[in-house]
Amino acid sequence: DILTKEILRIMRCDSSKEVRKTAMSLVVISPITLPVLIECTQDVSEDIRKETFRVFQNKVTLSQLSVDQRVELLRRGLYDRNDTVKQACIELICLRWMILVDSDPVSLLVLLGAEKNSDVCAQMCECLLKNFQGMNQKLLDYNSPSEFSYEEAVWFVSICKYMHKIDHRRTDEIVPTLTNLSELLSKYKDDDLICEKLLELCSVEDFSDEVGRRAISLQLKNMLLNFIQTQSLTEKVVESLRYAHVKDSEFYNVISTTLTELMSSFDHKQKDSEVVLVHALVVLHHSLLQINLKSQINSISNFDFLRELVINASLKNDSLEIQTLIIKTIGQMSLMNITFAQSNFEFLKASFLNDESTKSIIIQTLCDIVLVHGNE
């Protein structure tokens, strides 16, 4: 109606924050007014942004919001630059939404579409653990589930990381050992999302446990040999493997033997050959990112071996994804070894002249090489 349209116009456009705030207090919640109310969480005035979250706390139920709208509210509130606005968002979660789900964080994660919104859901879990009244008792009563849904995995990992951070008295009881973690990864090996979430626990694990370290290293290597998995999981596995092998030489040996095994039976004629190549290049490129630019293992012989093993096989494939990964990988190797950079300059130059689609990546690569090695 005309009145509603005028209220919405004032909420969006009036120059006075007090007038905008008054209009917000008069708005009737409906599918038409909710999008405009959500817009107000980005108002230039921190008072308006804070008041918007209070309106959601007092007037709006979870069922009135779509998953995308719930997530957008949290994304804007939890990452707001102003602490009072952020606190208003936390109060919306703790004093309204948690009550609506009977104080069950896992149920709330389901309503937030955790599988597609893992970053904001992890941030919300951290806020709950710090701010929700009665959380300490929940932690004392908490038992790890015998079977994980993705949402349960998110909550479990959040609890483990939080307990480790505050040195909770149940930390050793709740956080799995490396051996137990490797067993969990094996159990959920067909669920990339759960595995990726569980791997976050490597940041709080005790890798001085030699038996556990060997168990997790073997499990991670086996995961890298599975080329039918998401790229984000592959990257997470490589990062986790670095925790298990902090010495550059050890890490390089594990990666090179894994790639050798992966490529040993490779055949360009296989229907999944492109999938294998992409996976091998992701493993190689992300592994190089884990190694210090000045490491002693950055020898030309090591890089020539890796080029011969993976990159040369990939050059026969004209897939844009593969060509992009090749350039990124050769670029990273060139940053780590000036001799390798000199020997591959002509390749990068030819790629620049012949392929329009990768020009921006090549330019960035050449600029990085110059910045690292100077005029040498």
Side-chain angles (χ1 to χ4, degrees), residues 17-191:
K17 73 175 182 180
E18 294 304 325
V19 174
R20 297 199 303 276
K21 186 183 291 187
T22 301
M24 194 185 304
S25 69
L26 297 173
V27 73
V28 177
I29 303 302
S30 72
I32 294 173
T33 59
L34 274 172
V36 180
L37 198 55
I38 292 173
E39 282 180 30
C40 292
T41 60
Q42 290 188 309
D43 195 279
V44 293
S45 166
E46 60 195 44
D47 288 340
I48 295 292
R49 299 200 302 275
K50 179 172 63 177
E51 183 63 26
T52 304
F53 283 103
R54 287 178 176 160
V55 170
F56 275 102
Q57 181 181 336
N58 296 324
K59 290 187 175 183
V60 185
T61 65
L62 278 165
S63 60
Q64 290 175 286
L65 298 165
S66 68
V67 172
D68 288 343
Q69 288 174 326
R70 296 166 196 156
V71 170
E72 191 61 29
L73 276 173
L74 293 190
R75 198 177 298 281
R76 293 179 180 183
L78 295 178
Y79 294 98
D80 196 281
R81 62 184 178 274
N82 183 274
D83 287 341
T84 61
V85 176
K86 191 180 299 183
Q87 184 59 37
C89 179
I90 292 171
E91 289 173 6
L92 168 65
I93 300 168
C94 295
L95 302 180
R96 177 67 164 170
W97 287 6
M98 277 292 280
I99 291 172
L100 293 173
V101 295
D102 296 326
S103 301
D104 181 12
V106 173
S107 295
L108 185 52
L109 287 167
V110 171
L111 294 175
L112 293 170
E115 290 189 1
K116 295 181 179 179
N117 303 293
S118 59
D119 58 337
V120 74
C121 285
Q123 184 71 16
M124 185 208 69
C125 288
E126 184 177 345
C127 288
L128 282 176
L129 287 162
K130 289 180 179 177
N131 298 282
F132 185 67
Q133 188 174 10
M135 184 54 70
N136 191 53
Q137 188 60 46
K138 275 185 172 293
L139 294 179
L140 291 173
D141 296 338
Y142 179 79
N143 290 310
S144 307
S146 55
E147 298 288 336
F148 285 107
S149 65
Y150 179 71
E151 291 78 13
E152 285 167 331
V154 171
W155 184 236
F156 171 68
V157 169
S158 297
I159 285 177
C160 290
K161 291 165 79 172
Y162 179 71
M163 282 186 164
H164 181 269
K165 184 177 181 179
I166 67 169
D167 196 22
H168 194 278
R169 66 186 186 184
R170 292 192 69 204
T171 300
D172 292 339
E173 182 183 343
I174 298 298
V175 178
T177 64
L178 283 169
T179 301
N180 291 336
L181 178 57
S182 64
E183 291 170 354
L184 281 173
L185 292 169
S186 178
K187 181 177 180 178
Y188 292 100
K189 63 181 183 297
D190 296 324
D191 192 317

